[in-house]
Amino acid sequence: MCTRNPVIVVHGGSGRYKEEFKEVCLLRVKEAALQGYCRVQQGGSALDMVEEASTILENDPHFNAGCGAVLNECGEVELDAIIMDGKSLDTGAVAGVRNIANPTKLARLVMEKTKHVMLSDRGASRFAKALGFPEVPMESLITERSRERWRQNLQAASTPLDSQIDHGTIGAVALDTDGNVACATSTGGLSNTLVGRIGDTPCIGSGGYADNLSGAVSTTGKGEAIMKMTLARLIVFYMERGMSPAEAADTSLQCLWTRLQSHAGVIVIDNAGDWTAKFTTENMPWAAVTAGKVYYGIALGEIRTSAIEDICQ
Amino acid sequence: MAAVGTWAFSLAAVERVRRLMAAGNGATHCVQEAMAELENDKETGCFVVGRGGFPNKAGVVQCDAAIMEGLPGRFGAVAALPGVGIPLTVARVVMDKNTHNMLVGEGAAAFAKEQGFSIEDNNDMMSEAGLDAYEEFLENRKSTSKNHDTLGLIVLDHLGNITVGVSTSGAPFKDPGRVGDSPLPGCGLYADNRARAAAATGDGDKIMCFCPSFHVVQLMKQGEVGAASTVSFPYTFWARGMEAAEQRQSNPHTHID
């Protein structure tokens, strides 16, 4: 029986963060990573770890996922999420789902309770209702920050994509004590987009990918560019060919820039427990927990470390 | 110049491509026009494509379609789109607008309407065969259909541009809103800037977990040529110099050159 050192890496979205949000976002990502790590201490799997971390950030209004998500052109919250099990390649995803606070949990139910991978729009809501999955009023997911951003983007001269450089997707990758890897990614998409716009997040191979044979990835950045590169699957492809997570991440992010002039962030873990958090934007709040330590940062090149107390009750 | 299509029923599409290319049309136009003809024909709906395709569990025909160009890397897709008999053409418009890559469900339908497409009544999207199959499904509460065909078409034009398109009405009697492999980049289709492209067909919920189209294109980049099939698979093919498109069969574990 394999008993590896478990690892979890979590990100809160790549971009350029305003000073007033940097420390709180970094703190929340760190907390999510620690709580995700606790799941494995409690006997949880890699899937449990990534679901826990993603759910915590979905419930936090500072991130573009769940509560706090940006609004589409009609001022509504539409959420996308994916979760993937590296052991079986089983995957669940939801796209354009409404009135749901925790799309990662719903994506996991798609994986476990249906023979499909992705459910979208009203079909996803219908599935949630049939399972008694909690529905919430859309208002409860809308923050003043998202509403204000939406209002400003209604101006004719606005550039929604540029103004959203501080408010990105969240995600997690993990390796459990059985040697299984998993990934999860969750987002509210881009502000003021067309109703029904889907980005990379719920698309397998783009927003995330996990395979026990090599590792797991979660991505963040401009969805349209990430999809054209199938960025997560590209990183796993390079790891299949022997690159380390850091090499695979650097090479893939470089490809994304060269080919499509787009920046992004990725968190990557391999099946031996090696991990990385890489981004070509100015910031990406990230945290990793393994072997009694937590590593975290938000600026390019920054890695802070501290020992973890026994925080898992 | 060349074109390849999935399954025997794509012969008409590949033949159309041959004529369009002879008239000087480019890869993207050929893919769109050739596929629209097949998508919109109720008779070919039994191949799980477009008008006449199989409905979802609630009796509604929802289509997935996507198009990808190799050189500029442009991509456009629609998923779970109701009421449009030529979903690949809507995907092309999404691609041409170049603000977003993919639209789903009611949002996709609203976009299509705005762009001048009619959103038709579901009855006009259903064929008699599809309706019969649906009624049988309702009676037995399980599908006896083993169909998971998809129309996939790859065209390489006289300028060396490559475009790939895929279109499907999805797994028969699927859950409403289900999105399969077809419209997802790297899964149902993929094209890169060195004139390499792939399209996939099969049980979408299973094959998408492998991102097969992305993988095939990457392997081609590494120098592996052609493609291998693990099952006996009919396809259609035309290349410059041939008088007409041909139906061919790939055999398991042999290369297709």
Side-chain angles (χ1 to χ4, degrees), chain B residues 105-121:
Chain B
E106 291 186 354
F111 172 82
K113 193 168 174 181
E114 215 174 89
Q115 299 302 314
F117 293 84
S118 303
I119 307 301
E120 299 181 47
D121 189 87

Side-chain angles (χ1 to χ4, degrees), chain A residues 8-12 23-39 49-63 171-172 285-289 294-297 306 308 311-312:
Chain A
I8 185 169
V9 192
V10 177
H11 73 79
E23 278 308 309
V24 64
C25 287
L26 183 52
L27 182 67
R28 296 293 154 82
V29 164
K30 207 171 133 197
E31 283 168 1
L34 286 164
Q35 290 305 317
Y37 189 79
C38 280
R39 289 295 279 115
M49 293 164 79
V50 300
E51 183 190 327
E52 178 76 18
S54 291
T55 300
I56 287 171
L57 293 182
E58 285 169 348
N59 291 339
D60 190 303
H62 293 93
F63 301 95
W286 63 271
V289 182
V294 56
Y295 306 81
Y296 53 103
S306 50
I308 54 171
I311 46 94
C312 302

Side-chain angles (χ1 to χ4, degrees), chain A residues 9 173 216-218 235 239 245-246 248-249 266-270 274-277:
Chain A
V9 192
V173 293
V217 179
S218 170
I235 291 171
M239 289 200 287
V266 297
I267 51 175
V268 185
I269 191 167
D270 74 12
D274 189 11
W275 59 271
T276 193

Side-chain angles (χ1 to χ4, degrees), chain B residues 161-217:
Chain B
N161 294 317
I162 199 162
T163 299
V164 53
V166 287
S167 182
T168 182
S169 58
F173 325 121
K174 60 194 174 182
D175 285 8
R178 174 265 191 185
V179 178
D181 67 302
S182 294
L184 303 192
C187 298
L189 77 173
Y190 198 72
D192 89 345
N193 62 340
R194 299 287 176 85
R196 289 174 283 247
T201 174
D203 182 344
D205 295 310
K206 298 209 166 61
I207 68 177
M208 65 202 274
C209 300
F210 296 91
C211 299
S213 297
F214 164 88
H215 203 190
V216 162
V217 170

